[in-house]
C-alpha cells in the first residue's frame, strides 16, 4: 500500500516534534559535538557533516547588516565569504564568544524562519527516504526519520533494510521491528536511551502501524469476538491490554483509564464482580486495581513443560537469556537481561530455541529464544 503525500506530512509533523525534543532549541550551540565541530540550532546541524555553515550563510544573506552587527567582523567575514562546503570534514569548533554570537543570530526572526524551512525540508526528506525503501508503517517511518537525523542516511537505511530482510519485506516492518533492529545495530544501539524515548513517543502517537493498517483493510470483514481468559487464578501472570482500572470489583466507574500493555500479577479474583481481576503491574506500567476480563490475556504458563502449548500469536513473558538468529543457531546473537512482554510470531517445536519473540514494550527482544526463558 503506497504512502500518500498527506500521510508523509502527518509523519513529518510527529517526527519533527520528537526530533526537536531530542536535539535542541533555536538558539542551541554545541561548541564541539563529539569532536566534529559545532552543532547548531533546533536540529543540531553539524559543521563537520556540512550542515552548519550553509544554514548560517542563509541567515546572514537575509539581513547582512544585522548579521555583521551580531557576529562581529571576523566571524561575519568567515561565514559570508566562505563557500558552503568550507567546513565540510573540518572540526570547526566555536569559541565561547562565537557560540554566544551564533546563538543570538539563530534566535532572530530570520534565524528561526530559516531553521523552520530547513528542518521541514530535512525531515520530509528523511521520511521520503524511508518510503523509497518500502516502509508503509507510519510509526516506523517516524522512527526512521529520527534515526536518519541522528545517525545519517547510512544508519537509517542499514537498519530498515536489515529489519526488512528479517521480516520478509519492508512493508512488514513496524515500530517494534525497526526499534528492535536499531537496538541491535553496532552504532545506533549505543544510544539506547534516545532510542527508547523515541520509541515510547511514537508508540503513543496517533500514527498507524503495520498491524493497524491491516486492521483498517479488514474493517468490513466479520471478526471473531475477543476471547476472554478462562481459569485465571490468584497468582497468575497475565497481560493487561488497556482499559479501565477500578477501585473495587463492583465499582460503577473506572478510577482511571490505562492505555498501556503491561505484564501483571493477579492478586485477587471475584468471579461475581463486574471487574473480576485485581492486577498489579510487574513492569512498572502503573496498573493497580480491578480490571475487566476483556482487558487481560492469559500468558502461557506451560512453556517449560509443554512447548506445544505455546502458539503463534500468544503473548508471553521473556524472562531473560539468549536471543538467536534462528531456531537452530548454535550461539546467541545477543544476551538480553530484561523481562519483556513479547508476542510469539513463529514456533518451531523441533528447534533448540522454539519460539520467535518480539517485544511489545520496547525492550528490544527480537529473535528465537529458549523455552526455558519464557513463561
Amino acid at each position: 500500500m503506497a504512502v500518500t503525500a498527506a500521510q508523509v506530512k502527518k509523519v513529518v509533523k510527529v517526527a519533527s516534534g520528537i526530533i526537536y525534543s531530542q536535539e535542541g532549541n533555536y538558539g542551541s550551540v554545541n561548541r564541539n559535538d563529539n569532536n566534529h565541530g559545532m552543532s547548531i540550532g533546533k536540529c543540531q546541524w553539524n559543521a563537520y557533516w556540512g550542515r552548519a555553515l550553509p544554514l548560517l550563510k542563509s541567515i546572514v544573506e537575509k539581513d547582512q547588516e544585522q548579521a555583521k552587527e551580531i557576529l562581529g567582523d571576523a566571524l561575519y567575514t568567515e561565514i559570508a565569504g566562505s563557500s558552503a562546503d568550507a567546513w565540510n570534514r573540518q572540526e570547526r569548533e566555536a569559541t565561547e564568544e562565537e557560540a554566544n554570537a551564533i546563538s543570538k543570530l539563530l534566535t532572530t526572526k530570520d534565524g528561526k524562519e530559516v531553521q523552520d524551512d530547513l528542518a521541514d525540508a530535512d525531515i520530509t526528506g528523511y521520511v521520503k527516504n524511508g518510503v523509497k525503501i518500502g516502509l508503509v508503517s507510519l510509526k516506523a517511518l517516524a522512527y526512521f526519520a529520527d534515526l536518519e537525523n541522528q545517525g545519517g542516511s547510512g544508519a537509517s537505511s542499514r537498519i530498515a533494510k536489515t529489519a526488512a530482510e528479517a521480516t520478509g519485506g519492508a512493508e512488514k516492518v513496524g515500530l517494534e521491528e525497526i526499534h528492535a533492529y536499531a537496538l541491535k545495530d553496532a552504532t545506533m544501539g549505543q544510544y539506547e536511551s534516545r532510542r527508547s524515548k523515541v520509541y515510547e513517543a511514537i508508540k503513543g502517537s496517533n500514527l498507524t502501524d503495520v498491524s493497524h493498517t491491516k486492521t483498517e483493510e479488514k474493517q468490513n470483514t466479520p471478526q471473531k469476538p475477543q476471547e476472554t481468559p478462562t481459569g485465571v487464578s490468584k497468582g497468575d501472570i497475565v497481560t493487561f491490554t488497556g482499559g479501565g482500572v477500578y477501585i473495587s470489583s463492583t465499582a460503577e466507574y473506572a478510577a482511571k483509564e490505562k492505555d498501556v500493555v503491561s505484564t501483571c500479577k493477579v492478586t485477587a479474583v471475584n468471579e461475581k464482580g463486574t471487574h473480576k481481576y485485581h492486577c498489579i503491574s510487574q513492569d512498572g506500567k502503573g496498573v493497580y486495581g480491578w480490571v475487566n476480563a476483556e482487558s487481560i490475556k492469559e500468558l502461557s504458563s506451560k512453556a517449560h513443560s509443554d512447548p506445544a502449548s505455546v502458539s503463534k500469536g500468544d503473548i508471553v513473558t521473556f524472562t531473560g537469556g539468549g536471543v538467536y538468529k534462528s531456531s537452530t543457531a548454535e550461539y546467541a546473537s545477543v544476551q538480553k537481561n530484561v523481562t519483556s512482554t513479547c508476542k510469539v510470531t513463529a514456533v518451531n517445536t523441533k528447534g533448540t530455541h522454539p519460539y520467535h519473540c518480539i517485544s511489545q514494550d520496547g525492550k528490544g527482544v527480537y529473535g528465537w529464544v529458549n523455552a526455558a526463558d519464557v513463561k
Side-chain angles (χ1 to χ4, degrees):
M1 183 181 70
V3 178
T4 67
Q7 288 174 320
V8 168
K9 289 183 70 174
K10 190 174 182 180
V11 174
V12 169
K13 184 176 180 180
V14 171
S16 296
I18 291 169
I19 289 170
Y20 302 155
S21 72
Q22 296 298 318
E23 296 291 359
N25 53 48
Y26 285 112
S28 295
V29 177
N30 184 335
R31 292 169 53 194
N32 189 10
D33 192 354
N34 289 323
N35 295 318
H36 281 80
M38 70 180 84
S39 288
I40 63 173
K42 67 178 186 178
C43 282
Q44 288 294 276
W45 290 280
N46 181 254
Y48 184 90
W49 297 113
R51 305 306 309 281
L53 184 55
L55 170 63
L56 292 172
K57 287 178 70 68
S58 295
I59 299 171
V60 166
E61 289 168 4
K62 285 270 190 177
D63 190 333
Q64 295 181 3
E65 289 187 11
Q66 173 185 255
K68 190 170 185 178
E69 181 180 344
I70 292 173
L71 297 173
D73 289 341
L75 186 55
Y76 170 83
T77 300
E78 179 182 1
I79 292 170
S82 299
S83 62
D85 61 357
W87 290 355
N88 290 21
R89 300 298 190 271
Q90 303 295 317
E91 296 175 13
R92 177 55 170 92
E93 183 177 353
T95 66
E96 184 175 355
E97 183 179 358
E98 288 174 334
N100 290 335
I102 289 171
S103 179
K104 187 174 181 180
L105 181 69
L106 291 168
T107 53
T108 61
K109 180 175 179 290
D110 291 334
K112 291 179 179 180
E113 287 179 354
V114 172
Q115 287 187 67
D116 287 342
D117 290 344
L118 181 58
D120 186 68
D122 281 355
I123 297 170
T124 299
Y126 302 157
V127 175
K128 288 183 176 180
N129 286 343
V131 172
K132 288 177 184 176
I133 289 173
L135 297 177
V136 297
S137 160
L138 302 192
K139 277 185 163 68
L141 283 168
Y143 192 97
F144 178 94
D146 185 76
L147 278 174
E148 189 151 323
N149 179 77
Q150 185 186 20
S153 59
S156 57
S157 175
R158 178 177 66 249
I159 291 166
K161 289 178 179 178
T162 302
E165 183 178 349
T167 56
E171 72 281 359
K172 297 180 181 179
V173 175
L175 177 61
E176 299 296 337
E177 290 79 10
I178 197 168
H179 176 57
Y181 277 93
L183 292 179
K184 286 183 177 182
D185 187 74
T187 301
M188 302 309 291
Q190 298 177 54
Y191 304 100
E192 185 173 354
S193 176
R194 173 163 174 166
R195 292 295 100 230
S196 296
K197 289 177 182 177
V198 170
Y199 166 85
E200 291 295 342
I202 295 172
K203 186 176 181 180
S205 75
N206 62 356
L207 296 176
T208 57
D209 207 349
V210 169
S211 59
H212 296 154
T213 301
K214 291 176 181 176
T215 299
E216 289 168 4
E217 291 172 350
K218 297 177 181 178
Q219 62 184 354
N220 294 320
T221 303
Q223 302 292 314
K224 292 181 180 179
Q226 182 175 348
E227 295 181 3
T228 56
T230 57
V232 173
S233 304
K234 181 179 178 181
D236 284 354
I237 299 296
V238 298
T239 296
F240 175 80
T241 58
V245 180
Y246 301 78
I247 60 172
S248 75
S249 63
T250 57
E252 187 175 358
Y253 302 106
K256 63 178 67 176
E257 291 288 331
K258 297 291 289 185
D259 186 20
V260 297
V261 176
S262 177
T263 301
C264 294
K265 184 175 183 178
V266 178
T267 58
V269 176
N270 179 7
E271 290 293 347
K272 295 181 179 180
T274 310
H275 328 293
K276 296 182 179 181
Y277 306 114
H278 190 276
C279 292
I280 300 176
S281 286
Q282 304 297 292
D283 52 12
K285 296 292 183 66
V287 177
Y288 191 103
W290 294 86
V291 303
N292 295 324
E294 60 266 25
S295 295
I296 65 173
K297 292 182 180 179
E298 291 178 87
L299 294 178
S300 172
S301 60
K302 302 177 182 178
H304 295 75
S305 59
D306 183 11
S309 67
V310 176
S311 304
K312 181 178 178 181
D314 283 356
I315 301 296
V316 298
T317 297
F318 175 78
T319 58
V323 180
Y324 301 79
K325 288 185 177 180
S326 73
S327 62
T328 57
E330 186 174 358
Y331 302 106
S333 57
V334 66
Q335 290 288 330
K336 298 293 288 186
N337 296 318
V338 297
T339 299
S340 177
T341 300
C342 294
K343 184 175 183 179
V344 179
T345 58
V347 175
N348 178 9
T349 56
K350 296 181 180 180
T352 311
H353 329 292
Y355 309 124
H356 190 277
C357 292
I358 300 177
S359 286
Q360 304 298 292
D361 52 13
K363 298 291 184 65
V365 177
Y366 192 103
W368 294 88
V369 303
N370 296 323
D373 294 333
V374 301
K375 63 179 183 180

